[in-house]
Amino acid sequence: MLKEELVLKDKLQEYKNIVDENLLKFIPDEAPKTLVKSMEYSLSAGGKRIRPILLLMVCDEYSIPRDISLPIAVSIEYIHTYSLIHDDLPAMDDDDYRRGKLTNHKVFGEAMAILAGDGLLTHAFSIVASIDSLDPNKKNKIIKLLSDFSGPSGMIKGQVLDMENEGKIVTEDKLIEIHNNKTGKLLLAPLLIASVLCDFTQKQLNGIKGYGKCLGLTFQITDDILDFCGKFEETGKPIGSDEQNNKATYVTIYGLNKARELALKYASQGSKYLEESQLVIPYLNKIINYLVDRKG
Amino acid sequence: MLKEELVLKDKLQEYKNIVDENLLKFIPDEAPKTLVKSMEYSLSAGGKRIRPILLLMVCDEYSIPRDISLPIAVSIEYIHTYSLIHDDLPAMDDDDYRRGKLTNHKVFGEAMAILAGDGLLTHAFSIVASIDSLDPNKKNKIIKLLSDFSGPSGMIKGQVLDMENEGKIVTEDKLIEIHNNKTGKLLLAPLLIASVLCDFTQKQLNGIKGYGKCLGLTFQITDDILDFCGKFEETGKPIGSDEQNNKATYVTIYGLNKARELALKYASQGSKYLEESQLVIPYLNKIINYLVDRKG
């Protein structure tokens, strides 16, 4: 492993620890115990925490106080976690395992899993609305971004398109539309939210937007590759579950080699966006290249 | 029917029409068609629109512009509608009918029903965050209220407590706790949101809070009575569904006569709260008394 890669891995681990240590602190005290257990179970089930890490990395670079950036980072992970709980439900992907652990509904039952997802989603907005030291106009912009990027014209749209195209032959454009919404929007959200917090210029905003879209696609393609040939121990998911679900993926459409090429193409495009907008956030550049080689 | 009751019925119908005419306008254009159909189906499935009406009635009395009050009223109905869609799911109450129409999952399937619910809930926050003419501090307060009252320490808490106490003998205190959260919180929310918009004094706020709690209990008790002895054509729900679900209700615990007495007691308490706080919103007083006699 290259030295630079080791430094990035340490940095990602450092940020992941910060997120992990703070995730459960934002659950409201008055919530009933079983619900809290179910929410905590999925929040604590691991994961790379890539979304909150992206937000924290950019905000730290621009000296945004942690008492502002951290709650927002947590709220994004709440929304991501809710989406996983609902996606795993029998009526949706019907997955028994995620990250090597039983899915929420396998432990707490379907009803509680639905409610835990609803709870995480709903409370995410309260977490952001409660940040006293954040300028109220920025707060509203961030809440709108969070809602729009995870809502019916964002992440949920991606989920619907994905369902509707199961078992169908899809074009590259359709595949990109699905992933730009399903995975891409919630990877883009922390970057755009950071842009609001850091008062980015229009040029910088365009740069980070372009980077974010490329990051999302790189992430999704490597996810498809991992699903196809990764090992259960490394990803925690049953291998080939996409194939079993009859889902169009970059691998089933293009084959493994072309999919790898595409991931590299988007990673290099992403770096270029950063460079052109003169955004100096070294870790962002490293992350997108690191993703291409990820094993889990 | 008394003349005063006729005037109230007309007024409620007038407000219901305003809500009905505007509910669908706030669905985002970019949402996928099937999802929109599923969201629209449940939004258009009727209902008394009592939550948005409460908000509009108070705000109109204090001359809050409709371009502020109406989107908020709509967002509350979105949250209420999402909660009904998820409550009706097979894993939850497993209801095939609501208000005499097939439930969302019976028409669109479980997966789409879950997503339509998620979509309505998520988008509710975007609707409020998008009101340009609303003071940003008030907007944040309202978003926090919406989230807290419908989240893990609000409506979802009530749903969890209700589930956990199915088939158990519950005390009056527990029953009140369940309903204060399950139904009460989302009936209280429009009144507290109106208090923010109308700059109520602490005394007025206390008054409307007390009234709102009594309204919620009156509403729930009459709902239990209707479930027990109402007619399908009037309520659109199968009769005795609570009993079949083994749920504790005011009727199963106290019997019909005592339940009616309790409804009257809370209605009169509610009126007293209004009177003592010198809040002059005539329709609020009429509504709580009208609820006691409702047939659907």
Side-chain angles (χ1 to χ4, degrees):
Chain A
M1 205 179 268
L2 295 168
K3 200 191 153 214
E4 196 169 299
E5 203 174 307
L6 272 175
V7 173
L8 177 67
K9 274 202 104 167
D10 282 352
K11 200 75 195 165
L12 288 173
Q13 187 61 48
E14 188 188 314
Y15 273 108
K16 183 172 147 34
N17 292 346
I18 296 169
V19 176
D20 287 344
E21 281 159 20
N22 285 283
L23 266 183
L24 306 188
K25 291 184 187 162
F26 290 84
I27 293 180
D29 295 335
E30 311 79 26
K33 275 183 195 164
T34 340
L35 181 70
V36 171
K37 272 189 195 164
S38 171
M39 288 163 68
E40 287 184 346
Y41 176 81
S42 290
L43 286 173
S44 311
K48 293 171 283 299
R49 315 295 189 198
I50 182 79
R51 294 157 193 81
I53 289 174
L54 285 170
L55 182 98
L56 291 173
M57 275 185 166
V58 179
C59 286
D60 281 1
E61 198 71 35
Y62 285 77
S63 307
I64 306 298
R66 281 275 173 85
D67 61 350
I68 288 178
S69 58
L70 192 59
I72 302 176
V74 164
S75 77
I76 296 175
E77 194 66 11
Y78 273 40
I79 291 180
H80 175 57
T81 305
Y82 120 75
S83 77
L84 300 182
I85 297 175
H86 281 193
D87 276 10
D88 288 337
L89 286 168
M92 310 275 280
D93 286 351
D94 195 14
D95 278 321
D96 291 351
Y97 288 92
R98 177 174 289 275
R99 298 167 187 156
K101 288 180 76 174
L102 284 171
T103 45
N104 195 294
H105 65 272
K106 295 302 283 183
V107 179
F108 298 92
E110 270 184 72
M112 194 57 76
I114 294 168
L115 291 170
D118 292 344
L120 288 166
L121 169 61
T122 312
H123 193 58
F125 295 99
S126 175
I127 294 174
V128 180
S130 304
I131 309 172
D132 288 333
S133 53
L134 177 56
D135 167 79
N137 274 315
K138 288 190 177 176
K139 216 192 282 187
N140 282 316
K141 266 192 198 165
I142 289 167
I143 287 169
K144 185 162 160 51
L145 269 168
L146 260 187
S147 168
D148 288 343
F149 277 63
S150 57
S153 48
M155 184 177 68
I156 295 176
K157 176 181 182 172
Q159 185 66 25
V160 171
L161 293 178
D162 197 20
M163 270 169 45
E164 285 179 344
N165 286 286
E166 253 176 55
K168 286 186 192 164
I169 295 166
V170 302
T171 61
E172 185 178 356
D173 282 352
K174 183 53 85 182
L175 197 64
I176 289 179
E177 194 193 2
I178 292 171
H179 292 314
N180 268 347
N181 285 290
K182 194 182 168 181
T183 341
K185 286 276 171 81
L186 210 58
L187 280 164
L188 195 52
L191 297 169
L192 298 192
I193 289 170
S195 308
V196 173
L197 292 171
C198 306
D199 295 309
F200 281 177
T201 62
Q202 190 59 47
K203 193 179 174 183
Q204 290 173 314
L205 182 63
N206 291 342
I208 210 157
K209 218 185 248 179
Y211 165 84
K213 281 191 180 170
C214 292
L215 180 82
L217 289 168
T218 311
F219 191 85
Q220 186 59 50
I221 298 170
T222 55
D223 213 50
D224 288 352
I225 294 173
L226 283 170
D227 182 81
F228 190 78
C229 50
K231 299 191 194 87
F232 177 73
E233 303 88 67
E234 276 175 357
T235 63
K237 279 199 268 184
I239 311 308
S241 67
D242 286 342
E243 216 183 0
Q244 275 165 28
N245 286 342
N246 228 347
K247 279 195 179 170
T249 77
Y250 282 92
V251 179
T252 57
I253 291 184
Y254 297 106
L256 212 48
N257 286 339
K258 181 81 201 293
R260 283 212 175 99
E261 257 173 51
L262 274 174
L264 282 166
K265 185 188 94 176
Y266 286 121
S268 113
Q269 254 185 31
S271 300
K272 219 171 157 190
Y273 271 115
L274 287 179
E275 209 180 295
E276 282 172 6
S277 63
Q278 288 151 359
L279 267 172
V280 191
I281 311 169
Y283 284 116
L284 286 191
N285 200 22
K286 286 174 190 161
I287 281 179
I288 199 166
N289 291 300
Y290 173 72
L291 272 183
V292 181
D293 298 316
R294 75 192 175 110
K295 303 227 161 37
Chain B
M1 205 178 269
L2 294 168
K3 201 191 152 213
E4 196 169 299
E5 203 174 308
L6 271 175
V7 174
L8 177 68
K9 275 201 105 168
D10 282 352
K11 199 75 194 165
L12 288 173
Q13 187 61 48
E14 188 188 315
Y15 273 109
K16 183 172 148 36
N17 292 345
I18 296 169
V19 176
D20 287 344
E21 280 158 21
N22 285 283
L23 266 182
L24 306 188
K25 290 184 187 163
F26 290 84
I27 292 180
D29 295 335
E30 312 79 27
K33 273 183 196 165
T34 340
L35 181 69
V36 171
K37 272 190 196 165
S38 171
M39 287 162 68
E40 287 183 347
Y41 176 82
S42 290
L43 286 172
S44 311
K48 293 172 283 296
R49 314 297 189 198
I50 182 80
R51 293 157 193 82
I53 290 174
L54 284 170
L55 183 99
L56 292 172
M57 276 184 165
V58 179
C59 285
D60 281 1
E61 199 71 34
Y62 284 77
S63 307
I64 305 298
R66 279 276 173 85
D67 60 351
I68 289 177
S69 59
L70 193 57
I72 303 175
V74 165
S75 76
I76 296 175
E77 194 65 11
Y78 274 41
I79 292 180
H80 175 57
T81 305
Y82 120 76
S83 78
L84 299 183
I85 297 176
H86 281 193
D87 276 10
D88 287 336
L89 286 168
M92 310 275 281
D93 285 351
D94 194 15
D95 277 322
D96 292 351
Y97 288 92
R98 177 174 291 274
R99 296 167 187 157
K101 288 180 76 175
L102 284 170
T103 45
N104 195 293
H105 66 273
K106 295 303 282 182
V107 180
F108 297 92
E110 269 185 73
M112 195 58 76
I114 294 169
L115 291 169
D118 292 344
L120 288 166
L121 169 60
T122 313
H123 193 57
F125 295 99
S126 175
I127 294 174
V128 180
S130 304
I131 309 171
D132 288 333
S133 53
L134 177 56
D135 167 77
N137 275 314
K138 286 189 177 176
K139 216 192 283 186
N140 280 316
K141 267 191 198 166
I142 289 166
I143 288 169
K144 186 162 159 51
L145 269 169
L146 260 187
S147 168
D148 289 343
F149 277 63
S150 57
S153 47
M155 184 177 68
I156 295 177
K157 176 181 182 173
Q159 185 65 26
V160 171
L161 293 179
D162 197 19
M163 270 168 46
E164 286 180 343
N165 285 287
E166 252 176 54
K168 286 186 192 165
I169 296 167
V170 300
T171 60
E172 184 179 356
D173 282 353
K174 181 55 84 181
L175 196 64
I176 289 179
E177 193 193 1
I178 293 171
H179 293 315
N180 268 347
N181 285 290
K182 194 181 167 181
T183 342
K185 286 276 171 82
L186 210 59
L187 280 165
L188 195 51
L191 298 169
L192 297 192
I193 289 170
S195 307
V196 173
L197 292 170
C198 305
D199 296 309
F200 280 178
T201 62
Q202 190 59 46
K203 192 179 175 184
Q204 288 173 315
L205 182 63
N206 292 342
I208 209 158
K209 219 184 247 177
Y211 165 84
K213 283 190 180 171
C214 292
L215 180 82
L217 289 167
T218 310
F219 192 84
Q220 185 59 50
I221 297 171
T222 54
D223 213 50
D224 287 353
I225 294 173
L226 282 171
D227 181 81
F228 189 78
C229 50
K231 299 193 196 85
F232 178 75
E233 304 86 68
E234 276 176 358
T235 63
K237 279 199 266 185
I239 310 309
S241 67
D242 286 342
E243 214 182 3
Q244 275 164 28
N245 286 342
N246 228 347
K247 280 194 179 171
T249 77
Y250 282 91
V251 179
T252 58
I253 291 184
Y254 297 107
L256 212 49
N257 286 340
K258 179 82 200 292
R260 283 211 175 102
E261 258 174 51
L262 274 173
L264 283 166
K265 185 187 93 177
Y266 286 121
S268 115
Q269 254 183 31
S271 300
K272 217 171 158 192
Y273 271 114
L274 288 179
E275 208 180 295
E276 281 173 5
S277 62
Q278 287 151 0
L279 268 171
V280 190
I281 311 168
Y283 284 116
L284 287 191
N285 199 22
K286 286 173 192 161
I287 282 179
I288 200 165
N289 290 301
Y290 173 71
L291 272 183
V292 180
D293 298 316
R294 76 192 175 111
K295 303 230 160 35

